[in-house]
Amino acid sequence: MQINLERMQRRLAALTTPALGGTPAGGMTRLALTDTDREARDLFITWLREERLEPRVDDFGNIYGRRAGTDPTLPPVFVGSHLDTVPGGGRFDGIVGVVAALEVASALNEAGTQTRHPLDIVNWTNEEGARFTPAMLASGAVTGVFAREWVYARTDRHGLTFGDELARIGYLGEEAARPSAIAASLELHIEQGPILEAGGESVGIVEGVVGIRWCTVTVCGQSAHAGPTPMAVRHDAMVAAARMIVAARDLARARGDINATVGNLIPEPGVINVIPPTVTFSLDLRGRIDATLEAVVAKDLRSRFDAIAREEGIAYELIVDWSVPPTPFASVIKDRAEALCRERGYTARRLWAGAGHDSQYLARVTQAAMIFTPTIGGLSHCETEDAPWPDIAKGTDIMLALAVELANG
Ligand SMILES: [Zn+2]
């Protein structure tokens, strides 16, 4: 069995042409359930048929191409990723994972290799959440995280619903096409960060997906005129918020095991000559251990924010809006991936995924794992996103070997 790098490059190029959402700057804009998404899905299904992988589409538009196993009573091994992108995104995020999944089937077909379990080559709908929030909507739906009617009612910024758009592009399939049981699930994805490149490693064995806390912090001070109010007597919500943001950054840096990001900040009334009475900011915290995130929010951050509040003479409120525990991937698959890399002489490292992936929902219902490949400059979700093909070939080779082992288990 051998993967064909040239075929993978050809398929990725075909999935990223201007008609399918390729941008002049070399990136991709292919939001879920748009006309370009339909074009990409149609091409994917053409390839599934060429490879004799019987396609089926479920009621969330997820596409599965079945390669039969020798024992029809066994559940399938899933291999897949997503074809949708963010606006002005890259050519590799998700797309290379679908191409790699197809390559697993193509390589097996060429070698005439049979497996006991069937194999399903999968494209997940709306992974990015760039059009319909939240992200990973359709993998969440089939793994019991979201109810169907709620998913169908999600709207984009023009008020169009997921359900209507799914039907419009012709990809509203059957509930019966959903997986009833899954033997295992594999996904290849670019790292989207700088760690593998910096370490000179070809393959990333993903430990799991980090846990998340999304918080809203509201700081309340005293509104006053920017001119007549002496500096010494101010209760400036903006200054307090600024100090809190720096404190969160410093805490995360000092600990080394969490990321803290403030991406949104809203001062009221937002006027140049008014000391703002209220400033609201978001706080995104990520880490590998749930208890760490819990303690950071409940103790470490609060004690720092309390001290700043006292010094600045303001009040504040910290609310946790959304909480997701870390998702570790299946140890047996991670261990086998590591051994396979050793056997083949591929440099590899274990690392945590900082961003969400469909595989984290699949991990709720089956043994799931992800393989990362390096990202040039660590840049992703941008048009300059790029990834070295020799490493993609190695990662796909490992995924092929894992898929065969799992499908014969
Ligand atoms: Zn992705």
Side-chain angles (χ1 to χ4, degrees), residues 274-318:
V274 177
I275 299 167
T278 309
V279 173
T280 305
F281 65 91
S282 63
L283 180 59
D284 173 314
L285 297 167
R286 299 183 188 222
R288 287 159 250 171
I289 299 166
D290 213 46
T292 299
L293 291 170
E294 216 46 53
V296 162
V297 173
K299 294 213 297 268
D300 302 359
L301 272 179
R302 280 197 196 274
S303 68
R304 281 165 174 76
F305 286 7
D306 285 349
I308 292 166
R310 273 194 306 275
E311 288 165 22
E312 298 293 339
I314 55 93
Y316 80 96
E317 187 181 48
L318 187 161

CSV table of all heavy atoms in Angstrom, one decimal, residues 274-318:
chain,number,residue,atom,x,y,z
A,274,VAL,N,-14.6,61.6,27.8
A,274,VAL,CA,-15.3,61.1,28.9
A,274,VAL,C,-14.5,59.9,29.5
A,274,VAL,O,-14.2,59.0,28.8
A,274,VAL,CB,-16.7,60.6,28.5
A,274,VAL,CG1,-17.4,60.0,29.8
A,274,VAL,CG2,-17.5,61.7,28.0
A,275,ILE,N,-14.3,60.0,30.8
A,275,ILE,CA,-13.7,58.8,31.5
A,275,ILE,C,-14.8,57.7,31.5
A,275,ILE,O,-15.8,58.0,32.1
A,275,ILE,CB,-13.3,59.2,33.0
A,275,ILE,CG1,-12.2,60.3,33.0
A,275,ILE,CG2,-12.8,58.0,33.7
A,275,ILE,CD1,-12.0,60.9,34.3
A,276,PRO,N,-14.5,56.6,30.9
A,276,PRO,CA,-15.6,55.6,30.7
A,276,PRO,C,-16.0,55.0,32.1
A,276,PRO,O,-15.2,54.5,32.8
A,276,PRO,CB,-15.0,54.6,29.8
A,276,PRO,CG,-13.6,54.7,29.9
A,276,PRO,CD,-13.3,56.1,30.3
A,277,PRO,N,-17.3,55.0,32.4
A,277,PRO,CA,-17.8,54.4,33.6
A,277,PRO,C,-17.9,52.9,33.5
A,277,PRO,O,-17.8,52.2,34.5
A,277,PRO,CB,-19.2,55.0,33.7
A,277,PRO,CG,-19.7,55.3,32.3
A,277,PRO,CD,-18.4,55.7,31.6
A,278,THR,N,-18.0,52.4,32.3
A,278,THR,CA,-18.1,50.9,32.1
A,278,THR,C,-17.3,50.4,30.9
A,278,THR,O,-17.3,51.0,29.9
A,278,THR,CB,-19.6,50.5,31.8
A,278,THR,OG1,-20.4,51.1,32.8
A,278,THR,CG2,-19.8,49.0,31.9
A,279,VAL,N,-16.6,49.4,31.2
A,279,VAL,CA,-15.8,48.7,30.1
A,279,VAL,C,-16.1,47.2,30.2
A,279,VAL,O,-16.0,46.6,31.3
A,279,VAL,CB,-14.3,49.0,30.2
A,279,VAL,CG1,-13.5,48.1,29.2
A,279,VAL,CG2,-14.0,50.5,30.0
A,280,THR,N,-16.5,46.6,29.1
A,280,THR,CA,-16.7,45.2,29.1
A,280,THR,C,-15.7,44.5,28.1
A,280,THR,O,-15.4,45.0,27.0
A,280,THR,CB,-18.1,44.9,28.5
A,280,THR,OG1,-19.1,45.6,29.3
A,280,THR,CG2,-18.5,43.4,28.6
A,281,PHE,N,-15.1,43.4,28.6
A,281,PHE,CA,-14.1,42.7,27.7
A,281,PHE,C,-14.3,41.2,27.8
A,281,PHE,O,-14.8,40.7,28.8
A,281,PHE,CB,-12.7,43.1,27.9
A,281,PHE,CG,-12.1,42.8,29.2
A,281,PHE,CD1,-11.4,41.6,29.4
A,281,PHE,CD2,-12.1,43.7,30.3
A,281,PHE,CE1,-10.8,41.3,30.6
A,281,PHE,CE2,-11.6,43.4,31.5
A,281,PHE,CZ,-10.9,42.2,31.7
A,282,SER,N,-14.0,40.6,26.7
A,282,SER,CA,-14.1,39.1,26.6
A,282,SER,C,-12.7,38.5,27.1
A,282,SER,O,-11.7,39.2,27.0
A,282,SER,CB,-14.3,38.6,25.2
A,282,SER,OG,-13.2,39.0,24.4
A,283,LEU,N,-12.8,37.3,27.6
A,283,LEU,CA,-11.6,36.6,28.0
A,283,LEU,C,-11.7,35.1,27.6
A,283,LEU,O,-12.6,34.4,28.0
A,283,LEU,CB,-11.4,36.7,29.5
A,283,LEU,CG,-10.2,36.1,30.1
A,283,LEU,CD1,-8.9,36.6,29.5
A,283,LEU,CD2,-10.1,36.3,31.6
A,284,ASP,N,-10.8,34.7,26.7
A,284,ASP,CA,-10.8,33.3,26.2
A,284,ASP,C,-9.6,32.6,26.9
A,284,ASP,O,-8.5,33.0,26.7
A,284,ASP,CB,-10.6,33.4,24.7
A,284,ASP,CG,-10.4,32.0,24.0
A,284,ASP,OD1,-9.6,31.2,24.5
A,284,ASP,OD2,-11.0,31.8,23.0
A,285,LEU,N,-9.9,31.6,27.7
A,285,LEU,CA,-8.9,30.8,28.4
A,285,LEU,C,-8.9,29.4,27.9
A,285,LEU,O,-9.9,28.8,27.7
A,285,LEU,CB,-9.2,30.8,29.9
A,285,LEU,CG,-9.2,32.1,30.6
A,285,LEU,CD1,-9.8,32.0,32.0
A,285,LEU,CD2,-7.7,32.7,30.8
A,286,ARG,N,-7.7,28.9,27.6
A,286,ARG,CA,-7.6,27.5,27.1
A,286,ARG,C,-6.5,26.8,27.9
A,286,ARG,O,-5.4,27.3,28.1
A,286,ARG,CB,-7.3,27.5,25.6
A,286,ARG,CG,-8.4,28.2,24.8
A,286,ARG,CD,-8.2,28.1,23.4
A,286,ARG,NE,-9.2,29.0,22.8
A,286,ARG,CZ,-9.9,28.6,21.7
A,286,ARG,NH1,-9.7,27.5,21.1
A,286,ARG,NH2,-10.9,29.5,21.3
A,287,GLY,N,-6.7,25.5,28.1
A,287,GLY,CA,-5.7,24.7,28.8
A,287,GLY,C,-6.0,23.2,28.7
A,287,GLY,O,-7.1,22.8,28.3
A,288,ARG,N,-5.0,22.4,29.1
A,288,ARG,CA,-5.1,20.9,28.9
A,288,ARG,C,-5.8,20.3,30.1
A,288,ARG,O,-6.3,19.1,30.0
A,288,ARG,CB,-3.7,20.3,28.9
A,288,ARG,CG,-3.0,20.6,27.6
A,288,ARG,CD,-1.5,20.5,27.8
A,288,ARG,NE,-0.8,21.8,27.8
A,288,ARG,CZ,0.4,22.0,28.1
A,288,ARG,NH1,1.2,21.0,28.5
A,288,ARG,NH2,0.9,23.2,28.0
A,289,ILE,N,-5.9,20.9,31.2
A,289,ILE,CA,-6.4,20.3,32.4
A,289,ILE,C,-7.6,21.2,32.9
A,289,ILE,O,-7.4,22.4,33.2
A,289,ILE,CB,-5.3,20.2,33.5
A,289,ILE,CG1,-4.2,19.3,33.0
A,289,ILE,CG2,-5.9,19.6,34.8
A,289,ILE,CD1,-2.9,19.3,33.8
A,290,ASP,N,-8.7,20.5,33.0
A,290,ASP,CA,-9.9,21.2,33.4
A,290,ASP,C,-9.8,21.9,34.8
A,290,ASP,O,-10.2,23.0,35.0
A,290,ASP,CB,-11.1,20.3,33.4
A,290,ASP,CG,-12.4,21.0,33.0
A,290,ASP,OD1,-12.3,21.8,32.0
A,290,ASP,OD2,-13.4,20.9,33.6
A,291,ALA,N,-9.2,21.2,35.7
A,291,ALA,CA,-9.0,21.7,37.1
A,291,ALA,C,-8.2,22.9,37.1
A,291,ALA,O,-8.4,23.9,37.9
A,291,ALA,CB,-8.4,20.6,38.0
A,292,THR,N,-7.2,23.0,36.2
A,292,THR,CA,-6.4,24.2,36.1
A,292,THR,C,-7.2,25.4,35.6
A,292,THR,O,-7.1,26.5,36.2
A,292,THR,CB,-5.3,24.0,35.0
A,292,THR,OG1,-4.5,22.9,35.5
A,292,THR,CG2,-4.4,25.2,34.8
A,293,LEU,N,-8.0,25.2,34.6
A,293,LEU,CA,-8.9,26.3,34.1
A,293,LEU,C,-9.8,26.7,35.2
A,293,LEU,O,-10.1,27.9,35.4
A,293,LEU,CB,-9.7,25.8,32.9
A,293,LEU,CG,-8.9,25.6,31.6
A,293,LEU,CD1,-9.7,24.9,30.5
A,293,LEU,CD2,-8.3,26.9,31.1
A,294,GLU,N,-10.4,25.8,35.9
A,294,GLU,CA,-11.3,26.0,37.0
A,294,GLU,C,-10.6,26.9,38.1
A,294,GLU,O,-11.2,27.9,38.5
A,294,GLU,CB,-11.7,24.7,37.6
A,294,GLU,CG,-13.2,24.6,38.1
A,294,GLU,CD,-14.2,25.1,37.1
A,294,GLU,OE1,-14.2,24.7,35.9
A,294,GLU,OE2,-15.0,26.0,37.5
A,295,ALA,N,-9.4,26.5,38.5
A,295,ALA,CA,-8.7,27.2,39.5
A,295,ALA,C,-8.2,28.6,39.0
A,295,ALA,O,-8.3,29.6,39.8
A,295,ALA,CB,-7.5,26.4,39.9
A,296,VAL,N,-7.9,28.7,37.8
A,296,VAL,CA,-7.4,30.0,37.2
A,296,VAL,C,-8.6,31.0,37.3
A,296,VAL,O,-8.4,32.2,37.7
A,296,VAL,CB,-6.9,29.9,35.8
A,296,VAL,CG1,-6.9,31.2,35.0
A,296,VAL,CG2,-5.5,29.2,35.8
A,297,VAL,N,-9.8,30.6,36.9
A,297,VAL,CA,-10.9,31.5,36.9
A,297,VAL,C,-11.3,31.8,38.3
A,297,VAL,O,-11.5,33.0,38.7
A,297,VAL,CB,-12.1,30.9,36.1
A,297,VAL,CG1,-13.3,31.7,36.3
A,297,VAL,CG2,-11.7,30.7,34.6
A,298,ALA,N,-11.5,30.8,39.2
A,298,ALA,CA,-12.0,30.9,40.5
A,298,ALA,C,-11.1,31.6,41.5
A,298,ALA,O,-11.5,32.4,42.3
A,298,ALA,CB,-12.5,29.6,41.0
A,299,LYS,N,-9.8,31.4,41.3
A,299,LYS,CA,-8.8,31.9,42.3
A,299,LYS,C,-7.8,32.9,41.7
A,299,LYS,O,-7.8,34.0,42.1
A,299,LYS,CB,-8.1,30.7,42.9
A,299,LYS,CG,-9.0,29.8,43.8
A,299,LYS,CD,-8.3,29.1,44.9
A,299,LYS,CE,-7.1,28.2,44.5
A,299,LYS,NZ,-7.5,26.8,44.4
A,300,ASP,N,-6.9,32.4,40.8
A,300,ASP,CA,-5.8,33.2,40.4
A,300,ASP,C,-6.2,34.5,39.8
A,300,ASP,O,-5.7,35.6,40.1
A,300,ASP,CB,-4.9,32.4,39.4
A,300,ASP,CG,-4.4,31.1,39.9
A,300,ASP,OD1,-4.8,30.8,41.1
A,300,ASP,OD2,-3.8,30.3,39.2
A,301,LEU,N,-7.1,34.4,38.8
A,301,LEU,CA,-7.6,35.6,38.1
A,301,LEU,C,-8.3,36.5,39.1
A,301,LEU,O,-8.1,37.7,39.1
A,301,LEU,CB,-8.4,35.3,36.9
A,301,LEU,CG,-7.7,35.1,35.6
A,301,LEU,CD1,-8.8,34.8,34.5
A,301,LEU,CD2,-6.9,36.3,35.2
A,302,ARG,N,-9.2,35.9,39.9
A,302,ARG,CA,-10.0,36.7,40.8
A,302,ARG,C,-9.2,37.5,41.8
A,302,ARG,O,-9.4,38.7,42.1
A,302,ARG,CB,-11.1,35.9,41.5
A,302,ARG,CG,-12.3,35.6,40.6
A,302,ARG,CD,-13.5,35.2,41.4
A,302,ARG,NE,-14.4,34.6,40.5
A,302,ARG,CZ,-15.4,35.3,39.8
A,302,ARG,NH1,-15.5,36.6,40.0
A,302,ARG,NH2,-16.2,34.6,39.0
A,303,SER,N,-8.1,36.8,42.3
A,303,SER,CA,-7.3,37.5,43.3
A,303,SER,C,-6.6,38.7,42.7
A,303,SER,O,-6.5,39.8,43.3
A,303,SER,CB,-6.4,36.6,44.0
A,303,SER,OG,-5.4,36.1,43.1
A,304,ARG,N,-6.1,38.5,41.5
A,304,ARG,CA,-5.4,39.6,40.8
A,304,ARG,C,-6.4,40.7,40.4
A,304,ARG,O,-6.1,41.9,40.6
A,304,ARG,CB,-4.8,39.1,39.5
A,304,ARG,CG,-3.4,38.4,39.8
A,304,ARG,CD,-3.0,37.6,38.6
A,304,ARG,NE,-1.7,37.0,38.7
A,304,ARG,CZ,-1.4,36.0,39.5
A,304,ARG,NH1,-2.4,35.4,40.2
A,304,ARG,NH2,-0.2,35.5,39.6
A,305,PHE,N,-7.6,40.4,39.9
A,305,PHE,CA,-8.6,41.4,39.6
A,305,PHE,C,-9.1,42.1,40.8
A,305,PHE,O,-9.3,43.3,40.8
A,305,PHE,CB,-9.8,40.7,38.8
A,305,PHE,CG,-9.5,40.3,37.4
A,305,PHE,CD1,-8.2,40.4,36.9
A,305,PHE,CD2,-10.5,39.9,36.6
A,305,PHE,CE1,-7.9,40.0,35.6
A,305,PHE,CE2,-10.2,39.5,35.2
A,305,PHE,CZ,-8.9,39.5,34.7
A,306,ASP,N,-9.2,41.4,41.9
A,306,ASP,CA,-9.7,42.0,43.2
A,306,ASP,C,-8.7,43.1,43.6
A,306,ASP,O,-9.1,44.2,44.0
A,306,ASP,CB,-9.8,40.9,44.3
A,306,ASP,CG,-11.0,40.1,44.2
A,306,ASP,OD1,-11.9,40.4,43.3
A,306,ASP,OD2,-11.1,39.0,44.9
A,307,ALA,N,-7.4,42.8,43.5
A,307,ALA,CA,-6.4,43.7,43.9
A,307,ALA,C,-6.4,45.0,43.0
A,307,ALA,O,-6.3,46.1,43.5
A,307,ALA,CB,-5.0,43.1,43.8
A,308,ILE,N,-6.6,44.8,41.7
A,308,ILE,CA,-6.7,45.9,40.8
A,308,ILE,C,-7.9,46.7,41.1
A,308,ILE,O,-7.9,48.0,41.1
A,308,ILE,CB,-6.7,45.4,39.3
A,308,ILE,CG1,-5.3,44.8,39.0
A,308,ILE,CG2,-7.1,46.5,38.4
A,308,ILE,CD1,-5.3,43.9,37.7
A,309,ALA,N,-9.0,46.0,41.4
A,309,ALA,CA,-10.3,46.7,41.7
A,309,ALA,C,-10.1,47.6,43.0
A,309,ALA,O,-10.6,48.8,43.0
A,309,ALA,CB,-11.4,45.7,41.9
A,310,ARG,N,-9.4,47.1,44.0
A,310,ARG,CA,-9.2,47.9,45.2
A,310,ARG,C,-8.3,49.1,44.9
A,310,ARG,O,-8.6,50.2,45.3
A,310,ARG,CB,-8.5,47.0,46.2
A,310,ARG,CG,-9.4,46.2,47.1
A,310,ARG,CD,-8.7,45.6,48.4
A,310,ARG,NE,-7.5,44.9,48.0
A,310,ARG,CZ,-7.5,43.6,47.7
A,310,ARG,NH1,-8.6,42.9,47.7
A,310,ARG,NH2,-6.4,42.9,47.4
A,311,GLU,N,-7.3,48.9,44.1
A,311,GLU,CA,-6.3,50.0,43.8
A,311,GLU,C,-7.0,51.1,43.0
A,311,GLU,O,-6.7,52.3,43.2
A,311,GLU,CB,-5.1,49.4,43.1
A,311,GLU,CG,-4.2,48.6,44.1
A,311,GLU,CD,-3.1,47.8,43.3
A,311,GLU,OE1,-2.8,48.1,42.2
A,311,GLU,OE2,-2.7,46.8,43.9
A,312,GLU,N,-7.8,50.7,42.0
A,312,GLU,CA,-8.4,51.6,41.1
A,312,GLU,C,-9.8,52.2,41.6
A,312,GLU,O,-10.4,53.1,41.0
A,312,GLU,CB,-8.7,51.0,39.7
A,312,GLU,CG,-7.4,50.6,39.1
A,312,GLU,CD,-6.5,51.7,38.7
A,312,GLU,OE1,-7.0,52.9,38.5
A,312,GLU,OE2,-5.3,51.5,38.5
A,313,GLY,N,-10.3,51.6,42.7
A,313,GLY,CA,-11.6,52.0,43.3
A,313,GLY,C,-12.7,51.8,42.3
A,313,GLY,O,-13.6,52.6,42.2
A,314,ILE,N,-12.7,50.6,41.7
A,314,ILE,CA,-13.8,50.2,40.8
A,314,ILE,C,-14.4,48.9,41.3
A,314,ILE,O,-13.9,48.2,42.2
A,314,ILE,CB,-13.3,50.1,39.4
A,314,ILE,CG1,-12.1,49.1,39.2
A,314,ILE,CG2,-12.9,51.5,38.8
A,314,ILE,CD1,-12.5,47.7,38.9
A,315,ALA,N,-15.6,48.5,40.7
A,315,ALA,CA,-16.2,47.2,40.9
A,315,ALA,C,-16.1,46.4,39.6
A,315,ALA,O,-16.0,47.0,38.5
A,315,ALA,CB,-17.6,47.4,41.3
A,316,TYR,N,-16.1,45.1,39.7
A,316,TYR,CA,-16.1,44.3,38.4
A,316,TYR,C,-16.9,43.0,38.6
A,316,TYR,O,-17.1,42.6,39.8
A,316,TYR,CB,-14.7,44.0,38.0
A,316,TYR,CG,-14.1,42.8,38.7
A,316,TYR,CD1,-14.1,41.5,38.2
A,316,TYR,CD2,-13.5,43.0,40.0
A,316,TYR,CE1,-13.5,40.5,38.8
A,316,TYR,CE2,-12.9,41.9,40.6
A,316,TYR,CZ,-12.9,40.7,40.1
A,316,TYR,OH,-12.4,39.6,40.7
A,317,GLU,N,-17.3,42.5,37.5
A,317,GLU,CA,-18.0,41.2,37.5
A,317,GLU,C,-17.4,40.3,36.5
A,317,GLU,O,-17.1,40.7,35.4
A,317,GLU,CB,-19.5,41.4,37.2
A,317,GLU,CG,-20.4,40.2,37.3
A,317,GLU,CD,-21.8,40.6,37.0
A,317,GLU,OE1,-22.0,41.2,35.9
A,317,GLU,OE2,-22.7,40.2,37.7
A,318,LEU,N,-17.1,39.0,36.8
A,318,LEU,CA,-16.5,38.1,35.9
A,318,LEU,C,-17.5,36.9,35.8
A,318,LEU,O,-17.8,36.2,36.7
A,318,LEU,CB,-15.2,37.6,36.4
A,318,LEU,CG,-14.4,36.7,35.4
A,318,LEU,CD1,-12.9,36.7,35.9
A,318,LEU,CD2,-14.9,35.3,35.3
